[in-house]
Amino acid sequence: MTIELQRPVGDRIVLDDPERHSFRVDRRAYTDEDLAARELTRIFDHCWLYVGHESEVPGPGSYVARDVGGRPVVMARGSDGVIRVFANSCTHRGALICSQPAGQVRSFRCPYHDWTFSNQGDLVGVPIPDGYGPGFRKADFGLARHRSDTYRGFVFVTYDPQQPLTLTEYLAGATEYLDLVDDQSEVGMEVIRGAQLHGAQANWKLMMENSVDIYHFRALHKRYVSYMESLGSVPPRRRGGFGRALGLGHGANELPPAAARPLAYWTPMFGTEVRPRIEATAARFVDRFGPERAQRITGTNRALLVFPNLMIIDAIAITIRKIDPVGAGRMAITSVALAPKDEDPDIRELRKSHYLTFLGPAGFATPDDIEIIESCQRGYLNRTVRYSDLSRGMNKEVPETTDELPAREFWRQWDRLMHGDDGHHVEVAHPGGAHGTGPR
């Protein structure tokens, strides 16, 4: 049986056999440099990709510069208040027009020849202009602008001018979970200043899988479980919840909290002095949304995967993780914390403390996750075992929290795009086993 399981099936990477409740991924997907290069052209050059949150560019002239899908870009709010995403490359000779990660400017100046661009992308200054002929027009040399759009404060870009889906269409069922995040404040959410920039010696897809894998929690994060128990939170061994496929590669897990939530679920981890306010906040959300939706917003944890490389984990704090490939065996991770703008200062401090304690790169959980996915990457060097198995839960009609349904949704979309399918067909698995399909 073991030999049969490892027998290669042609050149296929994803082996999906619902009738036999089997889902396997060829480990070449994590190690092959040619596949890694093809991912950039077939996935990252066409999908909608997360750039940042609109709160990161709060006023006219503010900007952030970062790599998105392997390309340097600038997300800037112009003097007119409009958020735009530009190629971070001078239209003259190609140098970066913005080398700082964030700031506020009236214009961007290329350090090579002093070409100057407004914060709306227009070329406004060229030194010694008489060196150019009468056909030279500054209007022809503005910064290259990428197609971008925003959903509930989350800004995305696509490099494909022929991308047929609007951002809302592309997000499919993920919009439901972005709504649950953004509805946590009536005045809006904001990224807390500061970011964690780190990486791992492993393929980027391993982190996407890990981030929606609840099955590993007790086994891998024993230290954090013990820490929670020492503070009065006792995670049950079998937790209610469910996983969902949200269409177009997106997936989510939703489950009861194992620990406190700043909004608005109290356990002894947060201390008795804040309990009345946290419970009062929960009551206000019941008045605002009704008991059922209020419970989902304030009393439920969730992990959302937006294909291809965005993770939002909403638990003891909210983290936004952008996970970028760096070849087949490395990744770069950018993590920031998201919070309500109107949060009380002492609750904000609790949020930041527990964010770093669990979700930060030096916290309880993230080093465990990095170490284990790097262990997987090293294990793939033994090519005798060819496939990884992601079939957990395929034998069940009703998805459960520890099922691997969200990871399978990710891989099905990966497989479609890598084989040239436009990937525009949505199949959403709802709690309770109901399914809906349709083109988007």
Side-chain angles (χ1 to χ4, degrees):
M1 177 63 73
T2 302
I3 295 174
E4 176 66 25
L5 283 173
Q6 301 308 323
R7 183 177 298 163
V9 182
D11 198 42
R12 294 166 58 192
I13 298 294
V14 177
L15 306 182
D16 186 3
D17 189 348
E19 291 186 1
R20 297 185 180 182
H21 303 148
S22 175
F23 193 100
R24 293 182 293 157
V25 176
D26 192 316
R27 292 176 179 179
R28 286 179 297 156
Y30 308 97
T31 62
D32 188 280
E33 291 290 352
D34 289 338
L35 281 175
R38 284 167 55 198
E39 286 176 339
L40 290 178
T41 58
R42 299 195 180 187
I43 294 176
F44 287 88
D45 282 357
H46 297 286
C47 290
W48 284 95
L49 306 174
Y50 177 71
V51 181
H53 193 267
E54 64 182 9
S55 65
E56 297 180 89
V57 287
S62 54
Y63 72 88
V64 294
R66 53 188 49 139
D67 285 354
V68 176
R71 306 189 191 194
V73 302
V74 177
M75 179 175 74
R77 190 184 292 269
S79 296
D80 57 359
V82 176
I83 295 176
R84 300 173 178 87
V85 179
F86 301 110
N88 189 359
S89 179
C90 181
T91 49
H92 177 216
R93 297 281 286 278
L96 298 178
I97 53 95
C98 187
S99 59
Q100 298 301 311
Q104 188 161 5
V105 296
R106 295 178 64 179
S107 60
F108 297 104
R109 183 186 67 84
C110 175
Y112 199 174
H113 298 94
D114 271 349
W115 280 33
T116 304
F117 304 85
S118 76
N119 57 28
Q120 295 174 204
D122 301 316
L123 178 61
V124 294
V126 177
I128 319 176
D130 59 1
Y132 295 95
F136 177 83
R137 300 191 315 152
K138 287 190 288 187
D140 296 333
F141 288 89
L143 293 176
R145 181 177 176 182
H146 299 300
R147 178 183 170 190
S148 62
D149 202 355
T150 303
Y151 184 84
R152 299 301 297 265
F154 297 90
V155 183
F156 292 77
V157 66
T158 179
Y159 300 128
D160 183 359
Q162 305 303 319
Q163 166 61 253
L165 299 182
T166 67
L167 175 60
T168 301
E169 291 171 336
Y170 176 84
L171 291 172
T175 58
E176 175 185 346
Y177 286 84
L178 294 175
D179 291 343
L180 291 170
V181 171
D182 196 59
D183 281 343
Q184 294 181 30
S185 173
E186 290 186 87
V187 300
M189 303 291 286
E190 64 181 1
V191 168
I192 299 174
R193 185 176 180 180
Q196 289 78 47
L197 308 176
H198 60 105
Q201 300 293 321
N203 187 273
W204 68 280
K205 298 184 291 297
L206 282 169
M207 182 57 80
M208 303 307 296
E209 293 176 5
N210 173 273
S211 298
V212 287
D213 183 327
I214 307 300
Y215 189 34
H216 76 264
F217 185 82
R218 272 194 170 272
L220 188 61
H221 301 312
K222 292 183 177 71
R223 292 180 306 150
Y224 187 66
V225 171
S226 298
Y227 172 73
M228 286 192 296
E229 291 173 344
S230 74
L231 296 180
S233 291
V234 183
R237 290 197 170 273
R238 293 189 63 85
R239 303 166 63 191
F242 51 84
R244 291 183 63 183
L246 303 174
L248 297 182
H250 318 312
N253 285 310
E254 193 167 343
L255 63 160
R261 289 174 53 87
L263 187 105
Y265 182 86
W266 183 87
T267 79
M269 293 181 74
F270 277 0
T272 57
E273 65 276 6
V274 301
R275 182 174 185 175
R277 274 184 293 146
I278 286 180
E279 292 180 344
T281 299
R284 287 199 301 273
F285 272 75
V286 172
D287 293 339
R288 181 181 170 195
F289 291 104
E292 183 176 346
R293 182 165 181 79
Q295 171 63 23
R296 287 190 75 194
I297 295 172
T298 66
T300 304
N301 287 352
R302 65 201 118 253
L304 171 65
L305 186 162
V306 177
F307 188 90
N309 67 328
L310 171 64
M311 280 302 313
I312 299 176
I313 301 173
D314 181 0
I316 200 165
I318 303 173
T319 183
I320 303 173
R321 288 178 178 166
K322 185 171 72 74
I323 300 160
D324 293 299
V326 185
R330 291 179 56 207
M331 72 182 81
I333 303 171
T334 304
S335 299
V336 297
L338 190 71
K341 289 181 179 178
D342 53 349
E343 193 165 52
D344 289 346
D346 57 340
I347 303 295
R348 174 65 63 87
E349 290 305 310
L350 273 175
R351 177 187 295 274
K352 291 193 294 185
S353 173
H354 285 277
Y355 169 85
L356 292 173
T357 298
F358 183 63
L359 297 165
F364 278 103
T366 303
D368 292 341
D369 293 329
I370 296 294
E371 183 177 6
I372 204 66
I373 63 173
E374 290 184 340
S375 175
C376 292
Q377 192 75 24
R378 290 194 299 273
Y380 297 159
L381 295 176
N382 189 323
R383 294 181 294 278
T384 303
V385 184
R386 180 157 180 174
Y387 297 100
S388 290
D389 183 86
L390 289 92
S391 62
R392 183 175 175 83
M394 291 183 75
N395 62 326
K396 298 175 182 177
E397 178 65 23
V398 179
E400 294 182 359
T401 308
T402 62
D403 291 350
E404 292 164 336
L405 175 62
R408 289 192 293 273
E409 174 65 15
F410 170 91
W411 276 109
R412 284 168 178 148
Q413 183 71 352
W414 182 94
D415 193 49
R416 286 189 288 264
L417 294 175
M418 290 293 282
H419 282 90
D421 190 315
D422 62 13
H424 298 156
H425 188 77
V426 177
E427 181 171 327
V428 180
H430 300 279
H435 292 266
T437 62
R440 294 294 295 267

